[in-house]
Amino acid sequence: MSKIKGDDYLFDGKGKFKINEVKTKIKDFYEDKADYSSQLKELQCEIDALQNMMYAHDKYGMLVIFQAMDAAGKDGTMKRVFANVHPLGTAFYSFKRPSSKELDHDFMWRCFKELPERGKIKVFNRSYYEEVLVVKVHPEILTDVQKIPAEISSKKNVWEKRYKDIKNFEEYLTNNGIVVVKFFLNVSKKEQGERLIARINEQEKNWKFEEGDIKERGYWDNYQQAYEDLINETATKDCPWHIVPADDKKNMRLIVAKVLQEKLKTLDISYPESSDERQKELLSFIDVIKKQNEE
């Protein structure tokens, strides 16, 4: 039985979240690699079964958001947590630098059009939260790139308004049966540095390395403050944040999988029931099928 409790990593806006007070590394939940694989597979299978039921129920959808500093392990976590989940029940979208078309729309537009259907899990690699992360660390983006009018971008409460827009958006999703599950993969600066060095030293990982990662690393403290602010401002009872220690990838994946499994179990979902009349009708088809086999 898993020792992991998803609520241990949950922040729902009560109290004050302080990023420098949460751990990036914890005691392992697994004894060895085999135990880790066994635990993860069990959780994967449970997520798959619950997602299948959610699909048949056809009233809920789930939006899973991953936010983190570069090299925190978002891609690997998504790949492994959902490895045994039916591919037709899940979809993924990675948000890169906005296109010119996306920049001609409001800042939520490109995320809005990628939302999940009922019955499915949609996973966002980064999201609209970049609008209060990268854009907040580099506020010149507001006017120089996003073309926000100066009378709006220059206001002192521009970030507070964006936090409010995001909270209202997530409340809107919740009111429509879309469950929002948010993860902040919390990696330390030292561990991030080691992973970036590995991307340079290991040739097969060179494609992952971008010079821009080094530049943004220079704004580490700014990003940490931006994360602390957005988590405090956008965590709610219905749409809390899960702060996941990310220095150990195996622990991180087990925690994420457990949170998703627990969240799916809270949904009031079931397979559609069949009436007695429908059961009789279905049973009558057995003879038809058998006769067809004999033809």
Side-chain angles (χ1 to χ4, degrees):
M1 182 179 293
S2 175
K3 300 177 183 178
I4 304 170
K5 296 180 180 179
D7 284 353
D8 289 345
Y9 307 93
L10 181 149
F11 178 73
D12 62 2
K14 294 180 180 178
K16 186 74 172 177
F17 169 70
K18 295 184 179 180
I19 199 167
N20 61 356
E21 294 182 1
V22 292
K23 296 179 179 179
T24 60
K25 186 173 178 59
I26 56 176
K27 184 178 179 180
D28 292 342
F29 285 113
Y30 56 93
E31 295 180 2
D32 50 33
K33 187 175 180 180
D35 181 42
Y36 157 73
S37 297
S38 176
Q39 288 190 55
L40 184 59
K41 185 173 182 180
E42 182 179 350
L43 288 167
Q44 290 168 339
C45 291
E46 289 186 51
I47 293 170
D48 178 53
L50 289 164
Q51 187 280 319
N52 191 56
M53 186 184 294
M54 184 175 72
Y55 180 84
H57 190 78
D58 199 31
K59 290 187 178 179
Y60 292 97
M62 179 174 284
L63 174 62
V64 180
I65 293 174
F66 285 97
Q67 289 289 160
M69 297 292 288
D70 293 321
K74 297 187 300 301
D75 291 352
T77 298
M78 290 184 286
K79 179 180 179 180
R80 287 162 179 80
V81 167
F82 293 98
N84 286 316
V85 182
H86 198 298
L88 293 181
T90 55
F92 301 81
Y93 196 89
S94 182
F95 289 94
K96 305 294 185 181
R97 186 176 287 107
S99 67
S100 57
K101 181 176 181 180
E102 289 170 338
L103 289 169
D104 277 335
H105 289 268
D106 59 274
F107 78 84
M108 299 290 284
W109 180 78
R110 66 178 185 149
C111 295
F112 198 99
K113 62 188 181 71
E114 297 295 339
L115 293 174
E117 304 169 41
R118 298 191 190 282
K120 294 189 177 183
I121 299 174
K122 187 68 173 283
V123 183
F124 280 4
N125 182 346
R126 304 190 189 276
S127 66
Y128 40 83
Y129 279 103
E130 294 298 297
E131 299 296 332
V132 287
L133 284 168
V134 176
V135 183
K136 189 174 184 180
V137 172
H138 301 286
E140 65 275 9
I141 293 175
L142 284 172
T143 53
D144 297 349
V145 181
Q146 295 186 342
K147 297 177 283 189
I148 303 297
E151 62 269 23
I152 296 175
S153 62
S154 62
K155 289 184 177 179
K156 293 182 179 180
N157 64 349
V158 63
W159 308 116
E160 284 72 16
K161 286 183 176 294
R162 287 201 167 188
Y163 295 139
K164 184 178 179 180
D165 289 338
I166 289 171
K167 287 175 67 175
N168 288 340
F169 177 64
E170 292 179 344
E171 182 180 6
Y172 166 80
L173 294 179
T174 301
N175 292 341
N176 282 274
I178 305 300
V179 181
V180 183
V181 185
K182 303 183 290 190
F183 294 103
F184 168 49
L185 307 183
N186 187 26
V187 69
S188 67
K189 188 175 185 179
K190 180 180 178 181
E191 178 64 22
Q192 187 212 41
E194 291 176 357
R195 292 179 188 178
L196 290 174
I197 291 171
R199 290 181 178 181
I200 297 173
N201 287 334
E202 299 175 39
Q203 189 172 353
E204 65 274 17
K205 292 184 178 181
N206 284 173
W207 67 273
K208 289 186 175 183
F209 184 83
E210 294 183 11
E211 285 77 355
D213 295 342
I214 303 302
K215 178 183 177 182
E216 292 307 299
R217 184 172 159 80
Y219 295 94
W220 180 272
D221 291 342
N222 303 73
Y223 275 107
Q224 294 293 288
Q225 186 61 57
Y227 269 112
E228 181 175 299
D229 291 344
L230 79 84
I231 289 170
N232 278 307
E233 293 293 336
T234 63
T236 65
K237 180 181 178 181
D238 290 329
C239 301
W241 277 96
H242 294 85
I243 318 300
V244 183
D247 280 5
D248 181 275
K249 293 181 179 181
K250 292 183 177 65
N251 269 337
M252 173 174 62
R253 294 163 189 164
L254 289 173
I255 293 169
V256 168
K258 184 62 176 176
V259 168
L260 291 170
Q261 178 249 15
E262 289 178 346
K263 191 63 178 179
L264 285 163
K265 286 182 71 173
T266 66
L267 302 182
D268 184 17
I269 55 177
S270 60
Y271 286 106
E273 293 187 6
S274 184
S275 66
D276 292 340
E277 292 76 11
R278 179 58 174 164
Q279 283 294 302
K280 290 179 181 179
E281 182 183 22
L282 291 173
L283 289 172
S284 71
F285 293 140
I286 294 177
D287 289 336
V288 175
I289 295 171
K290 287 182 177 179
K291 288 179 180 180
Q292 290 174 335
N293 286 343
E294 294 172 357
E295 293 176 355

